[in-house]
Amino acid sequence: MFTFADGETTVAVRLPPYESETRQPQPITLFKATSTLRTPEPTSFVSMTDLDPPDIKVNLPRYPSSVLRTQERGANAMLKPPATSSPARARPLGPIARREDDWRAWIELRLRVVGVPADITTGELWACFTRHGQVAQIEIMEDSRGTRDGVAKVTYNPPPPHPFWQIQPFFVNLCHGPRASLRLFLEPPRRTFYHLSPVDPMVKYPEVMTLPADSIDFGFMYDPRTMMAMHTINDGGRAGLRYKQSMLHRETIVEFRLDVNGRPELFRFSIPFAHLEVIHRVNTNSDITIELLVSLPTPPRFFRKLEERDTHDAKARYWAENDAWYRQTDITHTPADLKSSPVALKKPSPIIDIGRWTTYRLVFKKSPEKDGLFSLIGQALRDYNISIKELTDFRIASHREPAVWKYIDKPIVALHSLGGTLEELLKEETVPLLPFAVRYQLEVCISYGYLNEHNLSQAFVEKLKDIEPAKAQDILEYVANQEKRIFDTMDLFNLKIIKGSASRPPIPHYCAYVRSATVTPSTIYFNSPTVEISNRVIRHYAEHADRFLRVRFTDEKGKIYSTEKDTMDEVFTRVKRTLRNGITIGDRHYEFLAFGNSQFRENGAYFFAPTHHLHPRHIRNWMGDFDEIPYVAQYAARLGQCFSTTRAIIGTKPKDEEVEDVERNGYIFTDGVAKISPFLAQFIMSELGVARSSAELPSVFQFRYGGCKGILTISPDLTRQEITIRRSQYKFAARTETLEIIRWSQFAAANLNRQIIVVLSTLGVPDGVFLEKQKAQLANLEPAMNNEQIALAMLQKDIDPNQMTLTVAGMILDGFQKFQEPFMMSILRLWRAWCIKYLKEKARITIEKGAFVFGCVDETATLRGHFNDTPVPKPDEDYDDRVKKLPEVFIQLSKGYDNKPSVILGPMLLARNPSLHPGDIRVVRGVDVQALRHLKDVVVVPQTGDRPIVNMCSGGDLDGDDYLVIWDLELLPREWNHPPMDFTPAQKIALGRPITPDDLTSFFVTYMKNDNLSKIAVAHLALADFMEDGVKSTKCLKLAELHSTAVDYTKSGVPARMTRDLAPPKWPHFMEKANKPKDNIYHSRKVLGQLFDQVERVDFIPVFRAPFDMRILRAYNIEPKMLKDAAVLKRQYEAAMRRIMAQHAIKTEFEVWSTFVMSHSKASNDYKFHEEIGRISKALKDGFRAQCCKVAGATNPDDIKAMGPFVVAMYTVTANEIEEAVERAKAKDAGGEGGFRWEKMPMMSFPWLFQGMLGRIANRTLIEFEL
């Protein structure tokens, strides 16, 4: 046993190396310290001080001799920021200690329980084992095939007081039968319970460091050195207020007790290290207390602890203490008031406004016991780049209600019993309101914390009312764009804002400015209006466009994920309250309207602020007649059809003819597909402003037409304005019959992904095939930065759905890579980083012999389909015989290998994303059919056979689905056409009465709570790697079925409930589950693990210091007025660009311009978002091209005579701004200020609205120079 002669309680330990690596740690006991810690391997630095029970027990490794030395740490060193460099690490000093074996010294203790009945529950085990101590975790084990093997593991933290496991056998009472006899075995510690420093591998920290606090204040910063404390909790000796630093989960946790309606409740909030930049240590000059100040830009997650016995799932095989912590949205004495209250920034009488009071002051009493731990906590935070800064002259302001609301809210006429002159009363009751656009923009700034209502005076409001509304909007939008807190609000009126920097210029006719709000569990954020491609509803009610509000429900950071537990119930209740009670902004009350189908999947909906004559129910009635639809899911989907992002074709009315579907065996082979005449197709492309010759017309259009939806395939048999409509396309009776286009067919490159790869691997494609293809792709990316030919080959091969790689290829052909033009090189770098990112994270391997295209039906009935009586080709059969049995498809590329149309022949893969079942990937045969030669860049599938081929591909149809087609023979698996899954949707549930808005909102919330689509896909991927049989394992097949059910929820209303027994027991390293314990992570040796290890990420850093292209800068002599006009438009463009970046959490303009987005808000999956940002980027470019043409006096964007000089002016203004910013940064760098931060540089993409024009100018200038 170690005995300290001097009685010191703060110990710095640096252990010598082991004598032998095979020797096991032995426990020792250190006296007079205050926590339970355990040291790891040797050569460690730890503090032995914490705060709970009176004993500290530490395991140290066996070694021949060791000297432990204590280091005195003064109270003034606690969390003290470094002066100029990091403080020196503590060195060993002090007395010798002796060792004693004792399991009580461990941080946690785990028992292996053998003989567990197969049907036992975690609740039964908890009820039995909790009698002996604090159970932290229970896991019922399974083998690699997913079968329970009679073993469970029970973890205690801290260890129980008595070794009850030494009494054998051990009995547990079962709810459903007699008690079971179990055998218990003490397991050695799983890990060291120490966390390696990311800075110094010789330093390790305890996994959790805990300090009791005396009080905590909740509030906000009133000015840079003053906190307004809105609520204070004093611990009062209840041991409920604790500061914890979890190094394992890399987060800071604060626990506190609070009496709510007379009942003490335990709460906590957690702050990930990634969300922390600085912690201030308040300089109080006190010898009694230490004060820490944490101020956050966004709220952390709050939890309340429930009784552990009530938190077990009967089907789960895993339970942890964290399952008892339930998310909170409000802390209030009167929760009943929330039931009927609309959502607004101002909450009704909270105890703690957890969404807005995001500054926390923690007060600790000094004591010798805490000195070392404070120092250790500070050192650990600095290792994670969290600064510890001293704050002097800090003040606390007492709580008071903000007066601004009475100045900006609509006055309430009331009896004035307190006197006052008639003139004063009339003035109070007739005070003019802020114009709504100004009021809305003010709430944008308040909601994000750039302004705080306590800083807004009556003088500020009066000033805001007095200036022009457009200027007031400009000022407030400027504040929002700067994303900085403003304390002295009157200074805003002195800002020199360049005219138009925040104003909204005219936009394309097919777009609209849309206001939006983000509702989180604890607060609401309003967003500056952004340009979006409109939909049918907003177009029809254009005069009321500013009364629509697009609302999205998210977590504090990222998406709200579903859960099979009840821990998120309060979050979902808040969503339902918002949908039912609406949202209030000023004098407008927004009510739920409906949700589009893509919005629905992204947890979003439209709200509308009614007028005296127009209510949301009137809008729903105008959309169509839905009264005959008895199913809530179908009703919602039909409403959602009207909110599809479309372009209306105004100049013509199609002549439609109804034709019959091809139906057989309960399948519709023509589901969602009909025909359109070449003449009408040409008219549509002209109306959309896309110049195409008759030979280059798209083969397919995805459309909406009244209550019909699907695709229209071009047909030479139709003339003039003819289209055909099939019964499967008709969904409801609409009030409008305007033809609307969503998108049209075009070639996109084929790319593999992790799901496709893992299925092909299980079906027999060798790992080496995938590895070689990825290796070849990686090998070309770096040379492409400097070699034009390699870059062109890759960009023209790997064509993205937005065709932006072709745009970049065109810029290379114009010589911009040769001249190292900064924007060109930035985009190339971004494209490389984007490709590498998706190779690493998604295994997005480009397949040259492949395409990603629309599917449509063979109207000639020539192609042979799938017949059940045709034997499935077997691996040992003759190759030609196997091929002859395959179903047929037709695919013709508009540009083949010789740049001419090319029909692809022979065996190929046909799949649809995502593919989880081994039968989802079909092997088919490409054939040539002369009657189908007019169709290009689509895959034509047969209408013959017993079952549609596309239905076998993950349950696909032909109403707009994209299909992956690969004719690379190296990727043909050994096993062809595994029996497909049955994708018959679940039985729909009829309501039996008229459907109401309340039914729609309940359906919305139920979907959110049960939206397990991503969770199912993630679990499937992990288990496919972990299980011996891959995607053919029982659990993977079950998950594939659940995934299909989840996809069909929008049609059936039947949720896919993923039980916890389907959760992966371990996670492969390539899934990067940083929040999982290390012993739940394994290094995968299968194909996805090998592919992951083959790739190293590359950061995207734009090019700012390269010279701009002199070919353009010298092309024209530009007048100063033209430069000024270009500068004004550039400010407007940048403001619009920043709105898009803020709305979607995109970091750079380069990502928006190119659509190669590295990260975004995750409101939708990456593929869908790539399409969405493509539409958003196009609308931004179209709008500002039109503006530039108007200012330049050009008739169209290709008018080089008028536009040439103006485009050069745009380029010159941009070059000047960038070069001046670089020079300023250099000056700061020279002064030691670290001036260059590319994130703060001016924007560069403005002139590249006209990248084709810039190319023409550059090459014309080059020829002139040569002459």
Side-chain angles (χ1 to χ4, degrees):
M1 178 178 293
F2 285 113
T3 305
F4 291 95
D6 57 3
E8 289 291 335
T9 56
T10 299
V11 183
V13 183
R14 188 175 294 272
L15 303 176
Y18 282 108
E19 281 184 321
S20 168
E21 293 296 330
T22 60
R23 296 196 179 187
Q24 297 298 313
Q26 298 296 322
I28 61 168
T29 302
L30 306 181
F31 290 113
K32 287 195 178 181
T34 56
S35 180
T36 304
L37 304 179
R38 181 178 175 271
T39 61
E41 303 139 0
T43 63
S44 304
F45 175 89
V46 296
S47 172
M48 306 294 178
T49 314
D50 205 333
L51 328 146
D52 287 322
D55 291 330
I56 176 166
K57 298 165 184 172
V58 182
N59 274 356
L60 296 179
R62 184 186 299 275
Y63 48 86
S65 64
S66 175
V67 178
L68 301 181
R69 303 180 185 272
T70 61
Q71 177 178 349
E72 187 110 12
R73 296 179 186 267
N76 292 330
M78 299 176 185
L79 283 175
K80 187 174 181 179
T84 55
S85 61
S86 298
R89 306 288 184 183
R91 299 296 180 191
L93 298 167
I96 296 177
R98 296 184 176 86
R99 192 190 290 95
E100 176 187 311
D101 291 344
D102 191 351
W103 53 264
R104 295 177 180 84
W106 301 351
I107 295 293
E108 69 177 31
L109 179 148
R110 187 163 70 163
L111 298 175
R112 181 178 177 87
V113 185
V114 179
V116 175
D119 55 352
I120 200 168
T121 67
T122 59
E124 290 169 327
L125 288 171
W126 180 89
C128 179
F129 283 91
T130 197
R131 297 196 299 267
H132 301 281
Q134 179 63 48
V135 176
Q137 181 180 303
I138 297 171
E139 185 175 10
I140 302 172
M141 309 304 291
E142 292 180 344
D143 60 23
S144 63
R145 296 184 178 274
T147 304
R148 293 191 176 188
D149 56 9
V151 175
K153 294 188 177 181
V154 178
T155 303
Y156 288 91
N157 189 341
H162 305 290
F164 66 93
W165 58 88
Q166 294 178 359
I167 303 172
Q168 302 282 2
F170 184 81
F171 294 98
V172 57
N173 295 319
L174 304 177
C175 299
H176 55 277
R179 63 180 184 169
S181 174
L182 310 176
R183 287 174 295 147
L184 309 183
F185 300 91
L186 178 64
E187 291 200 339
R190 293 183 293 170
R191 58 186 194 275
T192 64
F193 301 102
Y194 277 81
H195 184 80
L196 184 67
S197 165
V199 176
D200 185 349
M202 301 294 288
V203 175
K204 295 187 179 182
Y205 300 106
E207 283 185 355
V208 179
M209 293 178 274
T210 304
L211 283 168
D214 277 44
S215 67
I216 181 172
D217 294 312
F218 298 83
F220 56 87
M221 295 305 291
Y222 183 77
D223 65 37
R225 296 188 179 279
T226 303
M227 174 188 180
M228 183 170 286
M230 304 298 285
H231 187 84
T232 301
I233 297 174
N234 293 300
D235 185 59
R238 294 184 297 177
L241 183 54
R242 295 191 294 179
Y243 173 99
K244 292 184 176 181
Q245 191 158 295
S246 172
M247 305 306 297
L248 178 64
H249 299 295
R250 299 176 189 179
E251 63 180 357
T252 291
I253 299 168
V254 176
E255 292 182 1
F256 59 94
R257 292 191 184 276
L258 184 65
D259 288 337
V260 180
N261 294 325
R263 186 176 63 183
E265 301 273 13
L266 183 60
F267 294 89
R268 79 177 184 194
F269 61 88
S270 59
I271 310 169
F273 286 176
H275 300 167
L276 264 177
E277 292 184 5
V278 61
I279 292 179
H280 286 97
R281 179 179 181 272
V282 179
N283 186 353
T284 60
N285 295 318
S286 170
D287 295 328
I288 302 174
T289 60
I290 297 172
E291 295 185 12
L292 300 183
L293 190 74
V294 181
S295 192
L296 302 177
T298 56
R301 296 182 302 165
F302 276 71
F303 301 83
R304 177 171 58 95
K305 190 169 187 182
L306 271 63
E307 292 291 337
E308 292 181 359
R309 69 172 65 89
D310 302 326
T311 59
H312 293 266
D313 182 344
K315 294 182 179 179
R317 62 174 193 81
Y318 180 86
W319 177 91
E321 187 181 9
N322 275 345
D323 293 345
W325 287 95
Y326 278 50
R327 283 291 297 277
Q328 298 296 288
T329 62
D330 298 272
I331 301 179
T332 177
H333 283 304
T334 55
D337 291 348
L338 298 172
K339 293 181 181 178
S340 57
S341 298
V343 172
L345 271 181
K346 199 167 67 167
K347 288 191 175 183
S349 48
I351 300 175
I352 301 173
D353 187 342
I354 63 177
R356 311 250 353 263
W357 302 345
T358 57
T359 296
Y360 315 97
R361 183 180 70 129
L362 287 150
V363 179
F364 305 86
K365 281 186 179 176
K366 289 184 180 179
S367 67
E369 293 85 359
K370 298 175 186 175
D371 291 5
L373 194 55
F374 265 118
S375 181
L376 197 63
I377 286 172
Q379 180 177 304
L381 289 170
R382 283 189 289 271
D383 282 357
Y384 281 90
N385 201 32
I386 300 166
S387 303
I388 310 297
K389 295 184 178 179
E390 190 167 307
L391 183 62
T392 57
D393 300 325
F394 176 73
R395 298 173 295 277
I396 290 287
S398 58
H399 170 205
R400 68 172 183 267
E401 292 299 321
V404 68
W405 299 113
K406 73 179 181 180
Y407 305 136
I408 63 174
D409 281 341
K410 187 173 182 179
I412 300 173
V413 178
L415 294 175
H416 298 274
S417 57
L418 298 180
T421 66
L422 178 60
E423 182 180 350
E424 289 171 339
L425 297 179
L426 288 174
K427 181 179 179 181
E428 181 179 349
E429 292 181 356
T430 59
V431 62
L433 295 174
L434 288 172
F436 180 78
V438 177
R439 167 63 185 264
Y440 177 84
Q441 201 61 42
L442 180 61
E443 295 219 17
V444 170
C445 296
I446 295 174
S447 68
Y448 278 98
Y450 308 140
L451 301 177
N452 187 283
E453 57 266 42
H454 290 77
N455 295 112
L456 303 181
S457 63
Q458 184 174 1
F460 173 83
V461 176
E462 294 294 343
K463 182 75 172 175
L464 206 58
K465 289 176 184 175
D466 290 343
I467 62 178
E468 294 179 8
K471 184 177 180 182
Q473 269 186 275
D474 270 1
I475 291 172
L476 293 171
E477 193 159 331
Y478 176 83
V479 172
N481 288 342
Q482 295 304 302
E483 298 183 356
K484 293 179 180 177
R485 174 68 190 277
I486 305 294
F487 294 102
D488 192 342
T489 55
M490 294 303 291
D491 285 349
L492 294 177
F493 300 109
N494 300 321
L495 289 173
K496 292 182 179 180
I497 301 173
I498 296 176
K499 185 179 179 181
S501 63
S503 298
R504 296 174 189 85
I507 56 177
H509 65 88
Y510 59 86
C511 295
Y513 279 109
V514 179
R515 293 189 173 103
S516 62
T518 302
V519 178
T520 72
S522 65
T523 189
I524 183 169
Y525 301 98
F526 299 109
N527 303 301
S528 299
T530 54
V531 177
E532 295 183 7
I533 298 177
S534 62
N535 54 57
R536 176 186 304 180
V537 178
I538 292 179
R539 279 194 296 269
H540 184 75
Y541 294 100
E543 69 274 22
H544 300 292
D546 70 329
R547 303 188 79 87
F548 288 90
L549 185 69
R550 188 167 181 163
V551 178
R552 190 157 56 94
F553 297 93
T554 73
D555 211 328
E556 308 299 352
K557 293 278 188 180
K559 183 179 177 181
I560 296 175
Y561 288 99
S562 64
T563 175
E564 69 280 0
K565 300 179 287 186
D566 299 329
T567 53
M568 292 285 286
D569 275 5
E570 285 206 23
V571 173
F572 296 119
T573 300
R574 174 171 166 82
V575 174
K576 175 64 178 179
R577 283 201 310 263
T578 307
L579 294 166
R580 183 183 61 228
N581 301 338
I583 296 171
T584 296
I585 309 172
D587 61 343
R588 287 192 185 180
H589 180 69
Y590 287 85
E591 299 180 20
F592 168 75
L593 173 61
F595 39 81
N597 294 324
S598 60
Q599 261 189 312
F600 177 65
R601 292 186 179 90
E602 297 163 10
N603 302 339
Y606 275 105
F607 283 50
F608 183 79
T611 68
H612 292 299
H613 306 291
L614 185 62
H615 188 272
R617 66 175 177 276
H618 300 140
I619 299 175
R620 286 190 291 267
N621 288 339
W622 171 83
M623 289 185 207
D625 183 3
F626 310 103
D627 292 342
E628 300 303 315
I629 300 176
Y631 312 109
V632 177
Q634 191 176 22
Y635 189 103
R638 300 300 168 248
L639 282 172
Q641 222 172 287
C642 300
F643 289 94
S644 297
T645 299
T646 58
R647 297 276 300 272
I649 308 302
I650 304 296
T652 184
K653 184 181 185 304
K655 179 183 177 183
D656 58 273
E657 175 189 354
E658 186 173 332
V659 295
E660 293 298 319
D661 276 299
V662 177
E663 299 186 56
R664 196 180 307 114
N665 301 331
Y667 298 105
I668 303 175
F669 286 70
T670 54
D671 189 6
V673 60
K675 298 187 287 185
I676 185 173
S677 72
F679 175 85
L680 187 53
Q682 183 78 63
F683 183 88
I684 289 171
M685 297 308 288
S686 176
E687 185 79 4
L688 296 176
V690 182
R692 293 283 181 94
S693 68
S694 58
E696 296 177 326
L697 286 176
S699 297
V700 167
F701 295 88
Q702 188 176 16
F703 80 107
R704 299 287 185 265
Y705 178 55
C708 303
K709 67 185 286 278
I711 63 171
L712 296 171
T713 305
I714 200 165
S715 172
D717 299 336
L718 301 185
T719 60
R720 307 303 296 169
Q721 295 165 296
E722 291 179 338
I723 62 173
T724 63
I725 297 293
R726 283 194 161 96
R727 180 66 191 173
S728 61
Q729 296 180 304
Y730 179 81
K731 305 301 180 182
F732 65 93
R735 318 282 189 210
T736 179
E737 291 187 348
T738 301
L739 180 63
E740 302 166 82
I741 302 300
I742 298 175
R743 58 189 181 118
W744 53 89
S745 58
Q746 52 191 6
F747 176 86
N751 291 288
L752 301 178
N753 56 45
R754 283 178 171 177
Q755 285 83 6
I756 295 282
I757 289 171
V758 80
V759 172
L760 288 175
S761 178
T762 300
L763 294 175
V765 177
D767 294 355
V769 172
F770 302 109
L771 290 165
E772 283 302 313
K773 291 186 181 300
Q774 179 172 270
K775 183 179 178 182
Q777 187 170 342
L778 284 168
N780 285 324
L781 281 170
E782 187 61 36
M785 295 301 99
N786 300 301
N787 187 306
E788 293 182 30
Q789 296 308 313
I790 294 175
L792 282 170
M794 294 193 72
L795 288 162
Q796 292 171 341
K797 178 179 69 175
D798 186 6
I799 302 172
D800 67 298
N802 293 322
Q803 308 275 294
M804 284 305 299
T805 55
L806 296 180
T807 299
V808 178
M811 293 163 65
I812 293 175
L813 290 170
D814 286 330
F816 291 115
Q817 184 181 17
K818 178 181 178 181
F819 282 85
Q820 297 286 293
E821 201 286 330
F823 185 78
M824 169 83 255
M825 299 312 297
S826 296
I827 292 296
L828 267 182
R829 285 188 179 188
L830 173 61
W831 168 72
R832 176 188 61 174
W834 183 74
C835 289
I836 290 174
K837 168 187 168 68
Y838 284 99
L839 280 173
K840 183 77 170 177
E841 298 174 8
K842 307 285 186 183
R844 184 185 177 273
I845 302 173
T846 301
I847 304 302
E848 185 173 355
K849 297 179 180 179
F852 188 64
V853 290
F854 270 128
C856 65
V857 77
D858 169 24
E859 297 284 1
T860 69
T862 303
L863 299 173
R864 186 179 72 245
H866 165 84
F867 291 91
N868 295 332
D869 57 2
T870 301
V872 176
K874 296 183 179 178
D876 55 355
E877 284 186 67
D878 178 75
Y879 179 78
D880 290 337
D881 291 341
R882 295 177 79 190
V883 172
K884 289 176 184 177
K885 295 177 182 179
L886 296 173
E888 297 172 342
V889 299
F890 173 85
I891 179 169
Q892 178 182 206
L893 305 182
S894 57
K895 293 183 180 179
Y897 300 109
D898 56 358
N899 228 22
K900 296 179 181 178
S902 174
V903 177
I904 309 300
L905 305 176
M908 57 186 67
L909 302 178
L910 181 69
R912 173 176 170 266
N913 288 323
S915 293
L916 276 67
H917 190 273
D920 284 347
I921 300 178
R922 312 307 296 173
V923 181
V924 296
R925 179 162 66 105
V927 297
D928 190 4
V929 178
Q930 189 66 34
L932 300 175
R933 283 287 189 101
H934 62 284
L935 299 174
K936 302 179 183 71
D937 297 330
V938 295
V939 59
V940 186
V941 298
Q943 60 167 276
T944 62
D946 296 325
R947 180 176 175 181
I949 294 175
V950 292
N951 179 264
M952 301 180 190
C953 298
S954 310
D957 56 28
L958 299 173
D959 70 351
D961 287 358
D962 296 294
Y963 291 88
L964 184 70
V965 188
I966 295 175
W967 51 93
D968 187 330
L969 298 184
E970 289 185 342
L971 290 169
L972 282 179
R974 175 176 170 77
E975 179 184 354
W976 290 6
N977 293 338
H978 185 92
M981 198 168 82
D982 181 6
F983 292 100
T984 304
Q987 185 67 38
K988 299 176 184 176
I989 302 170
L991 204 57
R993 59 170 174 76
I995 293 169
T996 66
D998 191 63
D999 297 322
L1000 294 173
T1001 58
S1002 294
F1003 173 69
F1004 183 96
V1005 177
T1006 303
Y1007 170 76
M1008 282 186 68
K1009 184 167 185 181
N1010 294 281
D1011 177 18
N1012 289 313
L1013 199 63
S1014 61
K1015 187 181 294 185
I1016 291 168
V1018 166
H1020 180 276
L1021 185 64
L1023 288 170
D1025 189 86
F1026 180 75
M1027 295 291 186
E1028 202 175 300
D1029 297 330
V1031 297
K1032 292 183 179 180
S1033 66
T1034 303
K1035 284 195 172 186
C1036 282
L1037 294 174
K1038 175 62 177 174
L1039 285 166
E1041 290 178 15
L1042 280 175
H1043 194 272
S1044 176
T1045 303
V1047 169
D1048 285 337
Y1049 179 78
T1050 56
K1051 302 174 185 177
S1052 66
V1054 178
R1057 292 190 168 90
M1058 178 182 164
T1059 52
R1060 294 181 73 177
D1061 60 301
L1062 293 174
K1066 290 184 179 294
W1067 298 89
H1069 74 290
F1070 62 80
M1071 296 187 75
E1072 299 183 284
K1073 294 290 183 180
N1075 60 328
K1076 300 292 181 182
K1078 288 184 178 179
D1079 54 351
N1080 281 358
I1081 307 291
Y1082 67 94
H1083 195 99
S1084 171
R1085 302 298 179 187
K1086 289 189 177 180
V1087 62
L1088 293 181
Q1090 297 176 63
L1091 289 170
F1092 180 85
D1093 293 340
Q1094 197 178 57
V1095 181
E1096 293 295 332
R1097 288 186 176 92
V1098 173
D1099 292 332
F1100 166 55
I1101 301 175
V1103 177
F1104 284 101
R1105 300 188 187 228
F1108 282 75
D1109 198 327
M1110 297 305 296
R1111 298 178 299 165
I1112 299 171
L1113 294 172
R1114 294 175 180 172
Y1116 296 95
N1117 291 320
I1118 307 300
E1119 296 292 330
K1121 182 181 183 304
M1122 188 174 285
L1123 290 172
K1124 186 176 180 181
D1125 290 342
V1128 169
L1129 281 175
K1130 186 174 189 287
R1131 297 295 177 274
Q1132 294 178 354
Y1133 170 81
E1134 290 181 353
M1137 176 67 81
R1138 291 187 194 283
R1139 291 187 205 109
I1140 293 170
M1141 291 164 59
Q1143 181 182 10
H1144 299 285
I1146 299 172
K1147 291 184 179 179
T1148 71
E1149 58 168 329
F1150 305 97
E1151 294 165 78
V1152 176
W1153 186 91
S1154 67
T1155 73
F1156 304 142
V1157 176
M1158 297 290 288
S1159 63
H1160 57 93
S1161 60
K1162 304 296 183 184
S1164 55
N1165 65 47
D1166 289 343
Y1167 174 73
K1168 289 292 183 185
F1169 186 74
H1170 188 70
E1171 288 186 341
E1172 182 184 348
I1173 197 63
R1175 292 192 292 268
I1176 293 168
S1177 181
K1178 184 179 186 304
L1180 174 74
K1181 293 172 183 176
D1182 286 352
F1184 278 94
R1185 284 191 195 110
Q1187 277 293 99
C1188 292
C1189 287
K1190 182 179 178 180
V1191 173
T1195 55
N1196 63 73
D1198 295 322
D1199 181 358
I1200 193 165
K1201 185 175 181 180
M1203 284 305 302
F1206 194 79
V1207 170
V1208 171
M1210 296 165 65
Y1211 191 83
T1212 303
V1213 166
T1214 302
N1216 291 342
E1217 289 184 2
I1218 298 291
E1219 288 168 356
E1220 289 171 7
V1222 169
E1223 289 304 314
R1224 287 195 301 270
K1226 285 182 180 177
K1228 288 186 177 181
D1229 281 340
E1233 299 178 45
F1236 189 80
R1237 291 183 58 191
W1238 64 261
E1239 301 92 337
K1240 302 295 183 183
M1241 295 295 287
M1243 288 193 173
M1244 199 190 295
S1245 61
F1246 177 54
W1248 295 92
L1249 294 169
F1250 299 92
Q1251 85 276 351
M1253 180 75 69
L1254 286 170
R1256 291 169 64 187
I1257 294 168
N1259 288 303
R1260 187 192 69 175
T1261 306
L1262 182 60
I1263 293 170
E1264 289 175 354
F1265 287 162
E1266 289 174 350
L1267 293 175

